[in-house]
Amino acid sequence: MDESFIALSHMQLAFYIANQIAPGGNAYHCPLVWRLDGPVNRRLLELALDDLARRHPVMRGTLAYRRGELGLAIADQPIPRLRHHREADEAAALARVEAASRDPLITARGEPLWQALLVEHGDGATEGRLFALINHHMLVDWMAAQVLLTDLSRFHAAREEGDYPRVNPTPSAYVLAERRKRDGANAPAAVAYWKRELTGASTRSLGHGGAVRHRQTWLPGPLTESLRALAARWGTTLHNVLLACFAEAYHDWCGSDDVVIGVSYAFPRTGPAQSVSAPLMNTLCVRSCRTRRRDLAAMTGRLTEKVIDAILHSELPVAKVASLADAPVGTPLFDVFFNYQELSPPTLDIGVSAEALTLPIDPMFPVVVVAMPHDGGIRVSAALALPEGGPDDDALLGSFAAVCESLAVRPTDEPTNARTATS
């Protein structure tokens, strides 16, 4: 297999096209940022980043066309991507990092689709520093970020000890070729399933536009554990219980009893894919139809079934699924994206304590809700980009938290026909 050029997978190509349609901002970027509690040897960090790029060929890749395909031309040697800055204080340093997170990663200069920043600020007692690794989603998803940071920490530790780590490149070309083969299959059963599932789905859109607003809430530990225990009793997962609670709140908020929700699902990485940096997650389309009788147990059962069926028919990437929907061309398949993964934030070890920070991200869809474990509970963030006059921004997460609390306090009947799902 020619490893000097890696054709983009369907998911990578979808990210590229979307980025071309709506350039600017950081909707298609994955910025990972840390506050460091001590000084860092910049040269060692540069060497470790070079090792990382040797390990992961896509980090040496620049966009190119070959044989009629768009892909990444892989350079033999890493291209330096660490930038160093100094600012007056942490606020200015954060502003510098946030501005960098919005700099285009797809440019006409033929550069790799990532960059790193080390921003020092203050002096003496007020001295501090931030480190950021900013990647395009064509290179990473959340699982791939874990892979990258594990490798970067390992390479930095070796360099700090004076070693020259042996770096074996990952089989990225092979893994992405297998993914393209799978995504390109006709999959008659999947086509039939999605046509049936999406027939008659609502095509009414909330619209996408206006300034991005960010909202946040927190589900405390005791509430999270109550929901987790309820999920175990019902034979499903915490992901599906949260999805049912969110769907109930979203139905009320948007005023429709028939909605399609995009759900990010982290398929287990096995074999060669375990070590590869690439977007190998998939977006599932989950249709939620609410009945007049508001029964969260029944809704959880129905959505559990739908999540499992979507996984079983996931060989069709979401771009192909959208083409099967019974809707006018150009109508979005869904307005809302919900993501909950049982993953801790990626950890970084470059010789000093590193505290993960969160940057505001522009949403790819009108409503993007991300929930993640945090301090024993769950932190829930929403990014909304809706035209003026739409639903109340502040009401969605408040309603979601209230539904979760009502379910934990007064569990309803057992869900019907729910099969155990892994999420």
Side-chain angles (χ1 to χ4, degrees), residues 2-48:
D2 178 13
E3 297 187 357
S4 66
F5 179 79
I6 303 176
L8 298 185
S9 68
H10 284 72
M11 184 174 292
Q12 288 173 311
L13 191 58
F15 280 132
Y16 172 81
I17 293 171
N19 206 158
Q20 297 302 298
I21 293 172
N26 59 9
Y28 304 98
H29 296 177
C30 179
L32 305 168
V33 185
W34 297 268
R35 178 187 290 117
L36 308 180
D37 76 346
V40 173
N41 185 313
R42 198 190 321 166
R43 181 55 183 154
L44 287 182
L45 184 55
E46 288 174 340
L47 290 172

Side-chain angles (χ1 to χ4, degrees), residues 25 48 71 77 83 85 93 161 203 210 236 286 308 336-337 344 348 377 397:
Q77 297 297 323
R83 306 287 181 264
H85 303 278
E161 293 171 2
T203 59
T236 184
V286 178
I308 295 171
V336 58
F337 183 84
S344 301
L348 175 72
L397 292 192

Side-chain angles (χ1 to χ4, degrees), residues 117-133:
L117 278 82
L118 179 62
V119 186
E120 298 177 304
H121 60 84
D123 194 13
T126 64
E127 184 181 49
R129 53 207 53 80
L130 302 176
F131 174 66
L133 192 60

Side-chain angles (χ1 to χ4, degrees), residues 143-154:
M143 295 291 286
Q146 311 268 347
V147 172
L148 284 184
L149 298 179
T150 297
D151 287 343
L152 179 58
S153 299
R154 177 165 55 91

Side-chain angles (χ1 to χ4, degrees), residues 226-236 297 407 410-415:
S226 294
L227 294 176
R228 192 185 302 278
L230 191 63
R233 201 181 86 211
W234 284 356
T236 184
L407 184 59
R410 294 187 301 276
T412 53
D413 297 333
E414 303 294 312

